[in-house]
Amino acid sequence: MNARLSRRSALCSASAISATTLLTRSVRSDQSPPSSAPRGKATSCIFLWLGGGAAQMDTWDPKVVGDPTQGSKKPGSAYPAIDTAIPGVQVCEHLPKTAARLDRGCIIRSVHHEVIDEHAAAVNRMHVGRAPTGTTTYPSLGAIVSHELGSPDSEVPAYIVMGYPSATRGPGFLGAKHNYIYLIDTESGPAGLRRPEGVTPARLDRRQRLLQQMRTDYRRKYSGFRNVEDYVDAGIRGEQLAGPKFSSVFDLNSENPNLRTAYGSEFGQRCLLARRLVESGVKFVEVSFNLNFINGTGWDTHNAGQLNQHVLIQELDKSLAALIDDLERRGLLDSTLVVVGSEFGRPPEFDGGGGRGHQGAAFSVPIFGGGLKSGQVIGATDEFSRKVADEPVSVPDLHATIYAAMGIDPSKELYDGDRPVPITDHGKPIARLFGS
Amino acid sequence: MRRVLLTCLILAVSPVRTFGQNPDFQWDFSTLDFASNLGGVSPASLHGSPAIVASGPMTPEFPRFPVGNVALELDGTSWLAVDDPGDASSFDFASGDVISVEAWVRLKSIREGQQVYLIGKGRTNNPDMPRDNQNWGFRLRGMAGSARPSFLFRSADAPAVTDANGNVTIAGKAGELHRWNANHGPEPDGQWHHLAFSFHFGSKSGPVAWVDGQPTDGAWDLGGKTFSNPPSVDNDQVWVGSSLGGSPDNSFRGGIDELSLYRRMLTDEEIQSRWQTTRKSVSLPEIADADLPNGAVLLDVREFARMGDPWNRSRTRITMQWQQPVAAITALPRKYADGGLIADRTNPSILRMRCRFNSPEVTTQFLIRARSGAQLRIDGQEVATLVQAEYASDGHQEVPVPPEPLYEFMHPVPAGDQEAVVPVTLTAGTHLVEFEALIGGRNMRVEASETLVAMGSPERGFELLSPTDASYGLNERAWQHFAEEQRRFVAALEQQDRLAQGQQAADYWDRRHDIARELTASTNIALISSDLDQMLLRGLASQSLSVLPVVDDLTFLRRLTLNTVGVIPARHEIAWFLEQPTATRRSHAIDRFLDDQRWADHWVAYWQDALAENPGILKPELNNSGPFRWWIYESFLDNKATDRFATELVMMKGSRLGGGPAGFAMASQNDVPFADRALVLSTAFNAREMKCARCHDSPNSDVTQQQLFQLAAMLDRSSISIPATSSVPKGPNGERSKLITVSIEPGTRVAPVWPFPFAVGHAASLPNSEEASSEAGSFGHGHESALLLLNPEDSREQAALHLTHPTQSAFAEVMVNRLWERLFGQGLMPAPDNWFESESAHRALLESLARQHIADGYDLKQTARLILNTQAWQRQAAPSDAPVAKYFGATTVRRMSAEQLLDSLYAAVGKSFDAEMLTLDPEGRRPDDTFLNLGVPRRAWQFCSLSNERDRPALALPVTQSLVDLLAVFGWRESRPNSASARDDQATVLQPLTLANGNAGHRLVQLSEGAGTTDLAVSSQQPGELVRELFLQILSRAPSTDEQNLFTEELTAGFADRAVPGVEPPSQPVIRRNAVSWSNHLNKEATRIKQELEESARRGDPPTLRLTESWRTQTEDVIWVLLNSPEFAFVP
């Protein structure tokens, strides 16, 4: 018996939980056969996160130029558009470098959801792919990738976040093993992995020597206690993780200074670090572009936040282009999926202060590399990019596409205890991104 | 007797047969039964959201009404409509008719100028009816902070008068609205008030209104007065609670009872006879300046102040009053109501401090601080003021530059607060000081910041004003000392107030526990700990298992404190313990730690998980609840009986966002919050998992979706319609998976009925369970159970009784099993929250223990005492899957919970968290429905998700983040949308790693000024002694010989010369303050400041300069090893 639910149920996103059912234990072995959904060969994903809600018509989905000045307030894009490497496709003029490399990627212009009132809720939607419910906590994209592709014996963690920790990015019911390691800036390194300043090799040696004695004694005393043994083992494995091999991945100084310059400011350095992490075997890296001090509001360009939005876009352009080039040069682009996500888009109208409000009904998500069929635009919006006009891509569809690109069956069911939870809320991968 | 059936939602209006002079119609809201005698009048129908039945005016406050009287509660989105029977009906009033209306109302708020309908005919916006066709309308109008009775009617259009030839002789005139407002009205204070009104259409004498029995005049405004124009009359409906198509702005929010309509004038006498009340002045007495206490500051909080005229005392009420030695507070004591539950104060309120003090002739300076408006008067003369704040809080404000301190180490002004300093010359003698401060304001939280009066000068420094001989400096160290003293004082004051407010409830629970003892025949049972041991030994013998020996004394002590107060024993507690006589040492220690206030801290975290306490500090999201953690805390602080605890939660009263159990009623973004709450309550208190039933019948148990929604409807006090989202949609051919049974379709209305014929584990059925009784609809008709209900008709209270019933529910067993599971690491029943199809080898023991729990008046500490004193609990550990552990011939070894670990780590090194205040709006400029302030955490359970989904550096709380990181890797649930009784306890590499290298772990190890470890390191005489002390302090045991030698060797080098000559401990602590708040977080400067603080959090505490660096770092490494040893992380 196929326990999965109908396609129709997936359309009712609020019923995400409802659509999931608690089945008897016997059903668990009675899985549906692997779906015929396309599968890609990407082994890692770099998820660039434009927190705040990047305006699609000021970036990837340009429309006629509007006017935010008092009085006229003509809706439309804030900047003129330029041609790209995909014939007939334009992006905003502040993305020239990416435009020249757009044939390595695709723009999905028809992503949509209905959460706009509140950033946290929309951020959650984009990370877990469904509406919250009171009966469970869903895992995020990164945690699911960790669960599917990570290996417990790996010497590197599967999931790293460069940004602030939040439950939204967490493992939900998949459990602590699939949680991320995070860092809030590239200088200070990851919380927990980097040794505090002042702990010299001599001190480290003293610490480890004495601790080893304590560990051995305690383990002997509690021999046969599985939880004690697991904890002691985790401590030993943790020491390896914090050891020189993996720590050296975080040392950006070992990179060519010209390359570092090409990547640009802190966001660019994060992108560079993401490449290094992927290279070392990390499966999912989320890189937050949270430099809101450039324009005050980051990508949440209400009112005066709009004034310096172009600086953000230029930074994104520089770093993204450098990342694509770097991955390509190292032969990693086909195995690394780069996704540029945001919690929602913004409407074409300008607000009282010349900025923009929130819009979930239509926004863009560009993706690069990952072995997908590049050089395409997926979906289209209407005249002012207010609504999806063609090829709608739901958040579950977007997630299904990411999973499929990484070889994960998007129709697979995960288990919250005994309860099967579809890996996406019945998302379907975008078929034309797959195949040769 | 007034009674209400909760099974239908149609209200009837019926002629009334009480009170000699009958009204023509009266809605008494005692029945929702449309089948009752309608008296020939059309029934009322309910529109909008479901009606709520709430408690009405009742005895003893209003002797005319019986206990248990119920009233209609409207939430501003619903109303009743009654059809007009036709032309010239009894609802129609024409010129010459008299109309009178009478009602009891309870209103919590009304905006200035707002007009809400109690009852009116016409102006419904019904189709085919003219606009504004108000035949009559009785309303409340917000004026000067009160809710004034207000009358509205529209005069009929006057048609043109024509002569015989059809020529107009008098032009026609369109009718207009005429409005009359009373000069007085009740406060929107959440209390019951009586209102009445009479008017003779066409008479020259004006209307009259009565408020709480007293007549009041009024005045016509809009349209002016008229006695010649008749009112417009048609066949439109009569509406109760709203008008204009249900316009929310014109809809009533609050309680209505005994709403009566008359066709005659009411008299002063009859109205006075209705207002029978024992209500005393709800204001505490105003104490005259002359009667102020000597040597103390008198503080009072007045509510019902108005923003426009906050200092006007005429309408305010003193709701709290206390004395303390100093004219300064760090926070307001909580307010308690509803039987000792946290309650909200009105916004704004006023804090006043008064005292008399003696002074020589002197010229000095007075310094005042408060958040918003404030005024200081000396001897009646105003000498200093602070402006009433009105702030923009959009995020784009400048980060304020903190004012330069007047002198070094002055305690700084908190972010968003104000300060003023004025010179004052005092004559020799006694002076009267009065300081008043506005608490709250438009869009501000009702939150007092540091509010104080000080005297002095920048040269000499300032001291807090105190009429005592004690001195309280305003330097940082003195302030921290005062703040700690004040915190303890306020906690004691709050407990005293809480217990006083809850006295009546406590009496009820005593009576109820007597009944419970009788019902369960447990009056005379007296289980002792050795009885439990005997039962367990029999079980072990049946399995041919032998017991392990009991643990040594210090292992016992560490296990005991971790299991009772949630933290490892302090060094002085170890010393106390070892001084006790050997024979009674353990039982003394059990008594001591059960009696410790930290018992409450230990339990909060557990119930936060089990009850899905899930507050968000930034705009409610993701199934957020209110922060009812404070109610959990206080319940365990007061050792509240467990059935009372559960009942209070089910009743969901008190403050919603301030920490009361009403916060449990909230489940943001959930389309049926009460279904969600039903899931939580059912697992928490009856071990019945119903989660599947949210969308379909449970495939794993016999729980149906209907049952879940019946319980939800009981909590909602109303039928609930199953939304489409709580179902499994059908496939394209109308089919569903055969594995799922959806027995009720979306749209079905489910009535509030107790859904279970019998409770888990019992075969007896309850009256009014679905099978047993459907005729009365009231709980336990003719049964002892009826005695247990204060309001037998309230379905929520019925649900609470069903969940906690001494004989009909598994409640006592569930609670006892939860305690057992916490203490032993595994329960007598395997899963604490889901007993479906569970079997237990220890059923008899569980039942005995539950009966004893009932016999002990549901006293959890008493039950804990019984268990802790068993040999079984004091034995050595075995692996949890070992048979000897399954039969409790040994305990198990568990890793500390995240909270135990964090609290123990900080206790071990003698440091405080130094966490930031848990709010993103320390200035208090955002209301609490968007921004909460959870205060400065002192114990691990007080943390919450930092909600930085926005990823903004300016919203970071760096020190708190480091602590939350540590909690999270050890299984603490950052978000608690659902009930959980067990945590993810698998070992991950991040656990030891975060402790070893994270910012919190780093800070723990540092020998900085103020740390207990630093003082120990400085004062120890010998390295060996220091090693021994560190082992005792961190691992609660003496080192083994090998350990003693190994570690002593590490600390010997440089020990003799470790003190750096000439360095003294600093006289003042480091001052950490920043001015970043939501109002300015989008400013670049805010980001810069927070990034600097992040860097500072990484660096940790500055090291003490009293010790040489090389010896200090050696010692820090030793401390690091002890804290990071796996032994530390496990409960022995």
Side-chain angles (χ1 to χ4, degrees):
Chain A
M1 173 55 56
N2 187 342
R4 284 176 300 115
L5 296 156
S6 68
R7 168 74 183 156
R8 196 177 133 194
S9 70
L11 296 174
C12 182
S13 60
S15 70
I17 176 64
S18 7
T20 62
T21 57
L22 201 157
L23 303 175
T24 51
R25 285 177 184 84
S26 62
V27 179
R28 205 174 156 158
S29 56
D30 186 20
Q31 299 247 4
S32 53
S35 77
S36 56
R39 234 50 80 71
K41 292 194 172 66
T43 52
S44 301
C45 177
I46 297 176
F47 189 50
L48 305 180
W49 181 252
L50 311 185
Q56 74 284 0
M57 86 294 298
D58 292 348
T59 50
W60 310 104
D61 190 10
K63 303 288 181 182
V64 61
V65 175
D67 181 2
T69 53
Q70 290 295 329
S72 64
K73 289 249 178 66
K74 198 171 118 215
S77 290
Y79 323 107
I82 53 168
D83 289 337
T84 69
I86 309 176
V89 174
Q90 292 196 311
V91 295
C92 118
E93 66 174 359
H94 298 298
L95 290 165
K97 294 190 165 82
T98 311
R101 292 158 178 82
L102 203 59
D103 53 346
R104 274 80 145 184
C106 302
I107 305 174
I108 309 170
R109 283 178 170 164
S110 52
V111 183
H112 62 93
H113 60 63
E114 76 295 346
V115 191
I116 55 160
D117 291 344
E118 180 43 46
H119 291 277
V123 172
N124 189 256
R125 179 63 63 87
M126 289 299 285
H127 280 76
V128 308
R130 34 186 121 213
T133 66
T135 52
T136 190
T137 314
Y138 293 111
S140 66
L141 268 173
I144 289 178
V145 170
S146 162
H147 182 259
E148 295 299 312
L149 303 183
S151 156
D153 304 324
S154 173
E155 290 176 2
V156 298
Y159 176 23
I160 291 200
V161 167
M162 290 182 233
Y164 286 93
S166 68
T168 273
R169 289 173 166 145
F173 64 75
L174 293 178
K177 269 197 303 204
H178 300 293
N179 210 350
Y180 50 78
I181 287 177
Y182 82 95
L183 51 134
I184 50 175
D185 66 64
T186 48
E187 281 294 308
S188 57
L193 257 64
R194 179 134 310 179
R195 280 197 186 86
E197 258 171 61
V199 180
T200 57
R203 290 186 66 187
L204 182 63
D205 179 61
R206 175 162 55 213
R207 287 179 172 197
Q208 288 183 342
R209 180 167 46 83
L210 294 170
L211 181 59
Q212 196 188 341
Q213 189 61 49
M214 297 293 286
R215 271 187 187 144
T216 310
D217 292 349
Y218 192 68
R219 195 179 165 136
R220 192 180 303 126
K221 185 172 174 193
Y222 286 96
S223 167
F225 287 73
R226 177 95 185 275
N227 54 351
V228 172
E229 289 170 352
D230 284 353
Y231 185 77
V232 173
D233 290 346
I236 294 164
R237 274 189 293 130
E239 259 167 30
Q240 286 161 3
L241 195 60
K245 193 170 165 201
F246 186 61
S247 291
S248 67
V249 177
F250 294 89
D251 181 15
L252 296 180
N253 289 323
S254 62
E255 290 285 340
N256 181 329
N258 292 336
L259 182 69
R260 292 197 68 177
T261 310
Y263 266 101
S265 62
E266 170 65 14
F267 174 64
Q269 299 308 302
R270 290 181 180 194
C271 290
L272 172 57
L273 179 54
R275 189 223 81 208
R276 291 174 63 86
L277 288 166
V278 159
E279 214 166 22
S280 75
V282 176
K283 300 296 169 193
F284 194 96
V285 187
E286 176 165 349
V287 181
S288 166
F289 188 126
N290 61 349
L291 313 177
N292 59 304
F293 36 89
I294 291 174
N295 67 333
T297 62
W299 297 94
D300 192 20
T301 54
H302 298 280
N303 301 310
Q306 183 81 14
L307 286 178
N308 282 324
Q309 181 188 233
H310 63 282
V311 184
L312 294 181
I313 301 171
Q314 289 162 356
E315 295 241 359
L316 172 67
D317 184 49
K318 181 174 185 173
S319 307
L320 179 55
L323 177 63
I324 294 166
D325 286 354
D326 197 13
L327 287 171
E328 198 167 43
R329 238 184 343 258
R330 289 169 177 266
L332 292 170
L333 189 58
D334 276 352
S335 60
T336 307
L337 182 69
V338 179
V339 181
V340 186
S342 194
E343 64 260 47
F344 38 56
R346 310 192 86 84
E349 288 79 15
F350 294 94
D351 62 22
R356 299 187 192 273
H358 302 165
Q359 172 178 303
F363 60 103
S364 301
V365 173
I367 54 177
F368 298 87
L372 296 177
K373 237 165 106 180
S374 58
Q376 307 186 70
V377 169
I378 309 292
T381 55
D382 62 8
E383 187 188 0
F384 283 103
S385 187
R386 288 191 184 100
K387 289 207 167 72
V388 174
D390 189 27
E391 265 191 293
V393 175
S394 68
V395 179
D397 292 340
L398 177 68
H399 283 205
T401 304
I402 294 171
Y403 295 137
M406 302 186 79
I408 300 167
D409 179 357
S411 63
K412 181 176 179 169
E413 276 167 348
L414 303 172
Y415 281 85
D416 174 12
D418 278 345
R419 171 187 187 187
V421 178
I423 203 166
T424 72
D425 202 359
H426 300 273
K428 292 266 186 286
I430 301 164
R432 49 188 183 104
L433 291 176
F434 295 85
S436 48
Chain B
M1 196 61 164
R2 295 145 68 87
R3 215 186 63 211
V4 59
L5 287 180
L6 290 145
T7 46
C8 68
L9 278 164
I10 308 235
L11 285 103
V13 53
S14 54
V16 157
R17 292 164 294 277
T18 51
F19 317 131
Q21 298 166 294
N22 289 349
D24 291 83
F25 298 102
Q26 187 180 75
W27 289 262
D28 68 5
F29 305 115
S30 63
T31 174
L32 300 171
D33 179 11
F34 68 96
S36 72
N37 177 13
L38 301 182
V41 181
S42 315
S45 57
L46 181 79
H47 297 258
S49 57
I52 302 169
V53 177
S55 55
M58 64 174 87
T59 302
E61 191 176 18
F62 299 103
R64 277 189 50 242
F65 295 89
V67 171
N69 176 41
V70 294
L72 180 71
E73 180 89 9
L74 295 175
D75 66 355
T77 61
S78 50
W79 64 92
L80 306 176
V82 183
D83 288 340
D84 185 4
D87 292 345
S89 79
S90 309
F91 289 137
D92 293 344
F93 288 83
S95 192
D97 287 345
V98 171
I99 182 169
S100 295
V101 187
E102 186 193 350
W104 289 81
V105 298
R106 185 183 56 204
L107 195 63
K108 279 192 183 146
S109 67
I110 191 164
R111 275 187 296 99
E112 199 65 15
Q114 192 183 5
Q115 315 187 91
V116 298
Y117 276 74
L118 280 169
I119 183 169
K121 182 167 190 298
R123 214 181 181 215
T124 57
N125 290 2
N126 278 334
D128 309 325
M129 286 294 167
R131 307 286 284 187
D132 286 339
N133 59 332
Q134 189 92 68
N135 181 214
W136 50 271
F138 184 55
R139 322 191 296 173
L140 292 173
R141 177 172 164 82
M143 293 174 80
S146 60
R148 307 277 179 86
S150 178
F151 183 72
L152 184 77
F153 78 95
R154 183 191 164 92
S155 48
D157 295 341
V161 177
T162 53
D163 60 17
N165 302 324
N167 299 320
V168 175
T169 53
I170 302 171
K173 187 173 175 244
E176 57 185 331
L177 288 167
H178 302 269
R179 182 172 64 198
W180 181 89
N181 304 308
N183 289 344
H184 298 285
E187 301 291 336
D189 56 3
Q191 308 266 0
W192 283 104
H193 293 278
H194 182 255
L195 302 177
F197 170 83
S198 283
F199 178 54
H200 187 170
F201 282 105
S203 157
K204 288 189 182 176
S205 59
V208 61
W210 292 265
V211 175
D212 293 345
Q214 295 300 311
T216 168
D217 291 336
W220 293 94
D221 57 0
L222 183 78
K225 84 171 165 188
T226 175
F227 44 87
S228 54
N229 295 339
S232 63
V233 184
D234 56 28
N235 291 333
D236 202 355
Q237 290 176 312
V238 172
W239 279 22
V240 174
S242 188
S243 183
L244 293 164
S247 143
D249 211 38
N250 299 98
S251 298
F252 184 80
R253 289 174 177 76
I256 306 180
D257 200 12
E258 214 170 69
L259 175 62
S260 309
L261 188 64
Y262 303 78
R263 299 187 71 90
R264 62 175 177 80
M265 291 300 283
L266 299 173
T267 66
D268 286 355
E269 293 71 31
E270 67 179 309
I271 294 303
Q272 273 162 21
S273 74
R274 300 271 210 286
W275 178 249
Q276 291 173 27
T277 178
T278 60
R279 182 185 290 172
K280 300 196 177 57
S281 165
V282 280
S283 185
L284 295 167
E286 168 78 31
I287 291 174
D289 292 341
D291 298 331
L292 284 175
N294 286 321
V297 182
L298 182 75
L299 293 92
D300 51 45
V301 180
R302 292 202 315 274
E303 297 189 56
F304 304 101
R306 277 165 292 159
M307 278 310 294
D309 185 15
W311 312 118
N312 182 342
R313 285 182 201 154
S314 64
R315 291 178 181 282
T316 60
R317 283 197 205 120
I318 300 173
T319 53
M320 190 164 194
Q321 204 166 55
W322 74 98
Q323 297 178 21
Q324 58 179 56
V326 196
I329 60 157
T330 53
L332 275 187
R334 289 203 173 89
K335 178 186 173 182
Y336 295 91
D338 278 327
L341 304 176
I342 298 168
D344 292 324
R345 292 195 168 91
T346 64
N347 190 3
S349 294
I350 302 286
L351 169 72
R352 177 171 59 167
M353 312 191 217
R354 279 185 297 165
C355 70
R356 278 195 314 263
F357 75 104
N358 290 313
S359 167
E361 183 174 327
V362 68
T363 297
T364 183
Q365 294 180 21
F366 271 77
L367 178 152
I368 54 173
R369 287 183 185 173
R371 176 159 285 172
S372 183
Q375 38 186 254
L376 175 71
R377 281 183 293 277
I378 300 178
D379 300 329
Q381 204 180 348
E382 186 170 292
V383 296
T385 57
L386 298 173
V387 297
Q388 191 174 320
E390 285 269 351
Y391 298 107
S393 54
D394 57 7
H396 292 278
Q397 306 305 304
E398 292 290 318
V399 182
V401 180
E404 275 297 308
L406 298 172
Y407 54 97
E408 202 184 4
F409 301 118
M410 183 173 81
H411 173 66
V413 187
D417 287 7
Q418 305 181 59
E419 177 181 78
V421 182
V422 288
V424 172
T425 302
L426 297 170
T427 55
T430 302
H431 298 276
L432 173 72
V433 174
E434 181 179 34
F435 184 55
E436 287 189 288
L438 182 68
I439 310 297
R442 204 180 310 283
N443 289 327
M444 293 177 73
R445 292 195 299 276
V446 188
E447 189 177 285
S449 186
E450 295 169 2
T451 308
L452 61 90
V453 183
M455 284 169 71
S457 70
E459 296 74 34
R460 296 193 316 273
F462 282 84
E463 286 200 352
L464 300 175
L465 176 66
S466 174
T468 69
D469 296 334
S471 137
Y472 299 84
L474 192 57
N475 61 57
E476 186 64 17
R477 186 175 295 281
W479 175 267
Q480 288 185 8
H481 182 77
F482 161 72
E484 180 58 23
E485 203 173 85
Q486 182 73 9
R487 192 187 63 77
R488 289 170 197 277
F489 171 77
V490 166
L493 190 70
E494 286 178 341
Q495 187 171 38
Q496 190 187 332
D497 193 25
R498 189 165 65 237
L499 295 177
Q501 294 283 344
Q503 188 51 53
Q504 222 177 344
D507 293 344
Y508 161 80
W509 284 99
D510 285 347
R511 285 198 306 280
R512 181 157 155 174
H513 292 149
D514 287 342
I515 296 172
R517 284 184 200 100
E518 280 168 32
L519 287 177
T520 54
S522 55
T523 309
N524 295 318
I525 75 163
L527 211 56
I528 57 172
S529 300
S530 57
D531 297 338
L532 300 182
D533 277 321
Q534 288 307 317
M535 282 189 239
L536 289 172
L537 286 172
R538 279 198 295 275
L540 284 158
S542 74
Q543 304 293 313
S544 310
L545 295 166
S546 50
V547 298
L548 287 175
V550 295
V551 292
D552 63 80
D553 271 349
L554 283 179
T555 305
F556 164 84
L557 183 66
R558 189 170 171 99
R559 184 188 284 178
L560 176 68
T561 59
L562 281 165
N563 275 289
T564 49
V565 296
V567 68
I568 58 170
R571 185 64 188 86
H572 67 90
E573 288 163 344
I574 295 175
W576 170 85
F577 178 67
L578 295 174
E579 282 163 14
Q580 302 304 302
T582 320
T584 52
R585 187 176 279 172
R586 295 193 181 194
S587 63
H588 277 182
I590 290 168
D591 289 344
R592 172 179 172 152
F593 289 103
L594 283 177
D595 203 27
D596 192 307
Q597 293 209 337
R598 295 172 296 171
W599 162 264
D601 291 297
H602 182 50
W603 276 100
V604 181
Y606 180 83
W607 287 108
Q608 282 175 313
D609 264 3
L611 300 176
E613 191 259 0
N614 190 30
I617 54 172
L618 200 171
K619 300 181 183 176
E621 285 302 326
L622 318 175
N623 227 32
N624 279 147
S625 70
F628 60 92
R629 52 182 57 197
W630 306 115
W631 164 78
I632 301 176
Y633 177 68
E634 291 174 350
S635 296
F636 285 88
L637 204 56
D638 301 345
N639 196 28
K640 199 174 274 172
T642 55
D643 57 344
R644 178 176 175 186
F645 173 71
T647 300
E648 286 182 353
L649 188 73
V650 178
M651 295 309 291
M652 302 179 229
K653 287 183 179 174
S655 170
R656 188 177 173 88
L657 293 163
F664 178 67
M666 183 177 151
S668 56
Q669 290 194 337
N670 198 308
D671 54 357
V672 194
F674 286 117
D676 198 72
R677 306 295 88 171
L679 292 176
V680 173
L681 292 171
S682 170
T683 50
F685 299 130
N686 277 172
R688 188 198 308 272
E689 176 62 79
M690 301 177 81
K691 158 162 98 173
C692 316
R694 180 67 190 261
C695 300
H696 50 80
D697 297 346
S698 171
N700 277 353
S701 71
D702 56 357
V703 174
T704 65
Q705 193 176 11
Q706 164 119 345
Q707 287 173 321
L708 174 66
F709 277 82
Q710 283 174 329
L711 182 54
M714 290 187 91
L715 300 177
D716 202 6
R717 299 177 162 125
S718 165
S719 297
I720 289 183
S721 176
I722 296 190
T725 48
S726 289
S727 190
V728 180
K730 287 179 184 167
N733 303 319
E735 85 294 350
R736 289 191 177 101
S737 164
K738 286 178 186 156
L739 291 166
I740 303 160
T741 308
V742 175
S743 55
I744 41 175
E745 292 297 333
T748 312
R749 286 200 82 82
V750 179
V753 179
W754 178 251
F756 300 107
F758 51 84
V760 178
H762 288 279
S765 82
L766 256 191
N768 193 40
S769 67
E770 197 179 23
E771 294 170 359
S773 162
S774 57
E775 51 84 25
S778 62
F779 193 103
H781 197 64
H783 186 275
E784 299 92 328
S785 304
L787 298 173
L788 304 178
L789 289 166
L790 290 170
N791 180 358
E793 282 130 4
D794 177 3
S795 63
R796 197 180 277 181
E797 198 187 339
Q798 292 171 6
L801 181 55
H802 275 289
L803 285 165
T804 59
H805 199 283
T807 63
Q808 309 296 337
S809 104
F811 177 77
E813 291 178 18
V814 170
M815 297 305 267
V816 164
N817 186 57
R818 283 181 176 278
L819 174 65
W820 188 283
E821 198 255 358
R822 277 210 99 186
L823 294 175
F824 276 95
Q826 36 200 355
L828 296 167
M829 291 293 282
D833 55 356
N834 191 9
W835 289 8
F836 177 74
E837 283 185 348
S838 282
E839 286 305 323
S840 167
H842 310 288
R843 194 76 219 197
L845 174 59
L846 179 63
E847 283 169 12
S848 303
L849 211 48
R851 272 182 74 211
Q852 186 61 50
H853 185 60
I854 295 172
D856 290 335
Y858 294 82
D859 180 334
L860 197 67
K861 280 189 183 177
Q862 200 52 39
T863 310
R865 196 182 324 270
L866 199 56
I867 300 171
L868 295 171
N869 276 298
T870 59
Q871 293 283 298
W873 188 76
Q874 300 181 16
R875 288 199 183 101
Q876 281 178 14
S880 59
D881 48 2
V884 66
K886 294 266 177 226
Y887 284 86
F888 304 104
T891 59
T892 60
V893 163
R894 280 159 291 153
R895 203 188 63 221
M896 285 185 193
S897 71
E899 290 90 342
Q900 284 172 327
L901 183 72
L902 190 70
D903 287 334
S904 295
L905 286 166
Y906 278 81
V909 299
K911 286 194 180 190
S912 62
F913 291 152
D914 268 4
E916 294 90 353
M917 189 182 276
L918 283 177
T919 180
L920 297 175
D921 173 37
E923 298 170 323
R925 293 180 189 173
R926 289 273 180 142
D928 55 9
D929 57 357
T930 51
F931 280 73
L932 290 182
N933 182 350
L934 298 179
V936 177
R938 302 168 49 81
R939 286 290 296 251
W941 61 264
Q942 295 170 354
F943 288 98
C944 67
S945 164
L946 299 188
S947 299
N948 199 356
E949 283 87 357
R950 284 164 176 73
D951 251 327
R952 291 176 183 162
L955 295 181
L957 300 174
V959 176
T960 306
Q961 184 71 63
S962 71
L963 297 160
V964 162
D965 283 352
L966 194 56
L967 283 172
V969 296
F970 280 94
W972 173 75
R973 292 204 299 160
E974 175 173 16
S975 164
R976 291 181 291 263
N978 54 337
S979 167
S981 299
R983 284 187 180 163
D984 182 357
D985 61 353
Q986 58 189 327
T988 72
V989 288
L990 274 186
Q991 290 159 357
L993 264 183
T994 307
L995 180 53
N997 299 326
N999 293 341
H1002 179 47
R1003 202 183 144 245
L1004 280 165
V1005 170
Q1006 291 171 312
L1007 289 175
S1008 56
E1009 289 303 340
T1013 41
T1014 307
D1015 294 340
L1016 189 62
V1018 169
S1019 63
S1020 290
Q1021 302 296 312
Q1022 296 292 333
E1025 177 201 332
L1026 177 56
V1027 168
R1028 190 185 147 76
E1029 282 301 313
L1030 285 173
F1031 265 78
L1032 278 170
Q1033 201 161 305
I1034 297 174
L1035 298 177
S1036 318
R1037 66 174 173 90
S1040 68
T1041 313
D1042 285 353
E1043 287 165 339
Q1044 178 79 56
N1045 295 338
L1046 182 67
F1047 285 90
T1048 304
E1049 196 183 319
E1050 295 296 331
L1051 297 183
T1052 301
F1055 182 88
D1057 307 320
R1058 69 194 191 284
V1060 177
V1063 181
E1064 292 296 319
S1067 65
Q1068 291 288 339
V1070 182
I1071 296 174
R1072 288 198 193 91
R1073 278 277 160 97
N1074 74 83
V1076 177
S1077 189
W1078 182 264
S1079 70
N1080 55 45
H1081 81 283
L1082 293 173
N1083 192 293
K1084 273 184 194 179
E1085 178 65 4
T1087 299
R1088 191 196 63 73
I1089 291 171
K1090 283 299 177 80
Q1091 287 181 329
E1092 210 173 273
L1093 290 169
E1094 279 174 345
E1095 180 51 36
S1096 151
R1098 266 193 290 279
R1099 281 196 307 271
D1101 296 332
T1104 177
L1105 302 175
R1106 288 186 283 158
L1107 297 168
T1108 59
E1109 190 185 346
S1110 65
W1111 189 82
R1112 173 177 57 76
T1113 53
Q1114 278 162 243
T1115 311
E1116 287 177 349
D1117 289 344
V1118 165
I1119 293 169
W1120 182 90
V1121 169
L1122 296 180
L1123 293 178
N1124 282 277
S1125 65
E1127 180 179 353
F1128 188 88
F1130 284 84
V1131 182

